[in-house]
């Protein structure tokens, strides 16, 4: 199952970039043995200033056809790591080819 991380905006250097690098390295080492990967990271900015609608269109265009869409939001449901791993395994075992994790902007 291919993993896509689709983010509005660009990654900046700093502590978050270090964490992202660490987790992508971990994923690349172990994901394939679990039937996950490859992973891709797509970042983009709404240069036309379309607001939330423009950002939504930008994210939507980057999601592969038929992908499971998982929107990440600070107000969303919090899952434990084992529950999240189980959810990924279920999608993989159902034969889902792609899962896209969407990360919107601040608004």
């Amino acid at each position: 199952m291919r993993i896509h991380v689709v983010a509005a905006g660009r990654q900046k250097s700093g502590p978050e970039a270090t964490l992202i690098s660490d987790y992508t390295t971990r994923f690349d080492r172990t994901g394939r043995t679990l039937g996950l990967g490859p992973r891709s990271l797509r970042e983009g900015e709404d240069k036309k200033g379309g607001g939330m609608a423009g950002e939504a269109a930008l994210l939507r265009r980057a999601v592969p056809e038929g992908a499971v869409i998982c929107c990440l939001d600070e107000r969303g449901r919090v899952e434990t790591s084992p529950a999240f791993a189980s959810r990924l395994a279920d999608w993989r075992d159902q034969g889902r080819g792609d899962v896209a994790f969407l990360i919107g902007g601040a608004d």
Side-chain angles (χ1 to χ4, degrees):
M1 181 170 67
R2 292 171 297 278
I3 305 295
H4 307 271
V5 178
V6 182
R10 300 277 180 206
Q11 178 182 317
K12 296 174 177 71
S13 60
E16 291 85 6
T18 302
L19 285 171
I20 290 168
S21 176
D22 180 47
Y23 278 104
T24 55
T25 299
R26 289 183 196 190
F27 179 84
D28 290 343
R29 286 184 189 149
T30 60
R32 295 247 167 135
T33 61
L34 300 172
L36 301 173
R39 61 140 182 99
S40 67
L41 173 62
R42 297 180 186 165
E43 300 172 311
E45 294 183 61
D46 178 23
K47 301 214 185 270
K48 295 182 183 177
M52 290 173 61
E55 184 178 285
L58 179 80
L59 294 172
R60 196 175 301 115
R61 283 192 302 271
V63 175
E65 183 73 30
V68 173
I69 297 174
C70 185
C71 297
L72 304 178
D73 185 286
E74 64 185 5
R75 295 173 303 268
R77 181 177 56 222
V78 176
E79 287 188 324
T80 64
S81 291
F84 180 66
S86 178
R87 182 180 301 273
L88 282 174
D90 288 346
W91 289 332
R92 179 201 60 209
D93 295 346
Q94 292 168 6
R96 301 305 295 255
D98 296 276
V99 62
F101 295 97
L102 304 186
I103 305 170
D107 297 328

